[in-house]
Structures are given as structure tokens and as C-alpha cells.
Amino acid sequence: MSKSFSTITLETDDKGITTVTINRPKKLNALNDEVLNELADVFKDIQIDEAINAIIVKGAGDKAFVAGADIKELRELDNRSGRMASQKGQQIFQLIEDTRKPVIAAVNGYALGGGAELAMACHLRIAGENAVFGLPEVGLGLIPGYGGTQRLPGLIGKARALEMILTGKQIKAEEAHQLGLVNEVSSDPVKASKELLHNILKNGPLAVRNAIKAVYHSDHRSGYQVEADVFGELCETEDSMEGTSAFLEKRKPEFKGK
Ligand code: COA
């Protein structure tokens, strides 16, 4: 792939494994609109680039994989634009999940909100020892809007997913491993991802692609519509304005249930 991007760097090794690095470390790699647009372009290219066999997604630096959707941008959303933003994030993450080449999230540091949702849209997840996962949106007066309400129950079961989504609590790598949210914990998640991909890529490429297709085949896409509708409605509430403002002003939110 010869294009260059301003918030994403790409590197392909001699085995055709492309590492996609989200590169906004000063904002803990938060997903603003530019990052999302570039991620979409990158994955559209990856689908058709025959030199690419597999993908690793990671964040720049050790502190964060991705600390979520960009809260500054979330604060500006109303019902309509909020629903559209949710649908846009869902579509881009669906594009990642629909990639018929193995995609592994190598997670160092914080994978919160949209970051956890991005990791969940990847086919496999390897966590660094310092990884932290969580869906803290309720603390902002919102809900996960990029597929988290749909993918987390599928990965760890409804009861545990609801507990994480309703409390917004953060869990460390080991607990994420015990819950089945991540496949492995490693001191070097990129190296471990490459090793796992080497094992996968020894197998028949058509078999690998079709196995991914079969595992993800589902007729139950309507939950995503509900997620986007509710996300949009919440964007217009006093609570989400208070939650996002409180984060940016570095204070505790005072919710009123309005
Ligand atoms: N959106 C926008 N900016 C973000 C962000 C996000 N999701 N997460 C972090 N940042 C920014 C901070 O505002 C800060 O910017 P500043 O230096 O201009 O003030 C910078 O990234 C560093 O973050 P900071 O909060 O100072 O780091 P920390 O080590 O004290 O805390 C976290 C790290 C991850 C606990 C904290 O940043 C956090 O709670 N982030 C939001 C997580 C979240 O709610 N995500 C879901 C969004 S849907």
C-alpha cells in the first residue's frame, strides 16, 4: 500500500503481515473523525491488496491502545448526528470484522470505549501485561456506540457484558483473559501476534478466509440499529452534555437523569 496517512502508520513485513498503528499518542490515540476516516481507507485497501496476508492493529506508544472515541467531538453531537456517528463507527468496525484475512488487536495500555470496541471488532486479541479494558460510556451519560453492546455479550456472555457496560468498570489483562475477552496475555503483544499469525498462515489461505466468514455469519444485525438509535437519543440529553463536559473540565459529573 503506497498511500500515506496522518493519524495512522503502516508497515508490512516479508510475510505480508501489515501492522496498522493508530498514531495520536498525545490524545492516547483517541478516535476522532480523521482517525476513523483513515481506518476506513486503510481497511478498504487491505481487502484488495494481494500482498497483505494478515493484519495487526495497535496504538502508538505503551500507554494506550486507544482511549476511546474523541470525547471533545462527542460533546458536539445531537440526536441525528449522534446516530449517524454511531452508524459510521459501526460500519468502519464492521469493515474490519468483515476482512477475510486474520486481524489481531495487539493491546498495550488503555483500550477503553471505542478502543475496546475496536479491539473487539478484530478477530483475535492479544493483551500486553499493562492492558486495561473497559466500556466507560455510561460515566459520560452515553452507551457504547461502535458495536460494543453487540460484540461484548458475544465474547464474554450477557451477564458479564452487562456488568461491564452498566458499571463502566475497567479490568486488567489477566481478568480480560479469564473472561475470554482476550486470547492471550504477553509481555510483547506485537511479537506474540506475529507468532500466532505465522501459525495461522501456514494453513490453506482459502480455508482460513472461509473459516472467518463462517464464524461471523449472522442474521442478527438489528441490535446494531438499536444501539445507534439509543446512542443518538442520549447525545441530546443534559446527562451526556454534563458527562462529556466533566471529563474535559477534569471534574466529576453530576447527573440529573434528564
Ligand atoms: N477523547 C479525547 N481526549 C482524550 C480521550 C478521549 N477518549 N482520552 C484521553 N484524552 C486526552 C486527555 O483529554 C488528555 O488531553 P490533554 O493532555 O490535552 O488534557 C490526554 O488525552 C491524556 O489523557 P489524561 O486523561 O491526561 O491521561 P491520564 O493518564 O490521567 O488518564 C485515562 C488516562 C485513559 C484514564 C483517561 O484519559 C480517560 O479516562 N480517558 C477517557 C476514557 C473514556 O471515557 N473513553 C470512552 C470514550 S467513548
Side-chain angles (χ1 to χ4, degrees):
M1 212 184 300
S2 53
K3 277 186 215 162
S4 73
F5 299 92
S6 53
T7 63
I8 289 178
T9 58
L10 298 169
E11 199 187 315
T12 301
D13 71 10
D14 57 356
K15 300 251 183 347
I17 298 173
T18 295
T19 302
V20 175
T21 304
I22 297 169
N23 191 16
R24 237 192 130 209
K26 283 189 185 151
K27 296 290 178 188
L28 305 186
N29 306 317
L31 301 172
N32 64 6
D33 211 39
E34 188 178 16
V35 179
L36 284 174
N37 289 337
E38 292 195 343
L39 257 184
D41 283 349
V42 163
F43 272 87
K44 279 179 199 154
D45 288 350
I46 280 173
Q47 321 264 11
I48 51 174
D49 190 333
E50 288 181 5
I52 298 176
N53 297 321
I55 301 95
I56 296 171
V57 180
K58 69 178 188 66
D62 281 338
K63 189 168 173 185
F65 174 70
V66 166
D70 192 303
I71 296 172
K72 206 171 170 190
E73 290 185 356
L74 290 182
R75 192 170 54 163
E76 308 301 321
L77 299 173
D78 60 17
N79 186 339
R80 188 168 168 276
S81 59
R83 191 175 65 245
M84 285 168 63
S86 171
Q87 284 167 337
K88 177 175 170 174
Q90 288 178 354
Q91 280 159 12
I92 295 167
F93 287 9
Q94 197 63 55
L95 185 68
I96 296 174
E97 189 177 276
D98 285 345
T99 304
R100 296 294 171 245
K101 307 173 185 187
V103 184
I104 303 187
V107 180
N108 259 324
Y110 293 109
L112 300 177
E117 291 174 296
L118 172 60
M120 290 191 280
C122 297
H123 302 138
L124 301 160
R125 283 151 294 284
I126 297 188
E129 285 159 356
N130 68 343
V132 176
F133 295 84
L135 290 171
E137 286 86 348
V138 285
L140 299 169
L142 292 167
I143 63 164
Y146 296 168
T149 66
Q150 305 305 299
R151 290 194 178 94
L152 189 61
L155 286 166
I156 67 170
K158 253 185 202 170
R160 287 177 166 140
L162 259 181
E163 186 181 336
M164 281 187 72
I165 292 168
L166 297 184
T167 60
K169 73 174 181 180
Q170 299 181 5
I171 60 170
K172 293 187 178 159
E174 265 315 323
E175 188 177 350
H177 188 222
Q178 281 160 16
L179 289 173
L181 179 55
V182 303
N183 297 78
E184 189 181 330
V185 180
S186 165
S187 57
D188 187 340
V190 172
K191 187 165 166 243
S193 298
K194 286 211 174 191
E195 284 165 8
L196 180 54
L197 286 171
H198 293 161
N199 282 333
I200 293 172
L201 294 176
K202 283 179 197 154
N203 300 310
L206 287 180
V208 168
R209 285 172 195 200
N210 282 291
I212 297 170
K213 182 175 172 183
V215 166
Y216 283 104
H217 176 77
S218 164
D219 295 326
H220 304 292
R221 291 269 160 103
S222 65
Y224 287 94
Q225 185 61 49
V226 175
E227 181 185 88
D229 287 347
V230 176
F231 185 88
E233 284 163 23
L234 286 169
C235 281
E236 242 177 44
T237 60
E238 285 179 32
D239 278 357
S240 74
M241 191 57 67
E242 168 64 9
T244 52
S245 299
F247 174 79
L248 295 168
E249 290 158 17
K250 302 186 190 293
R251 61 176 173 81
K252 283 203 183 315
E254 288 183 32
F255 293 123
K256 293 188 183 133
K258 289 186 188 164

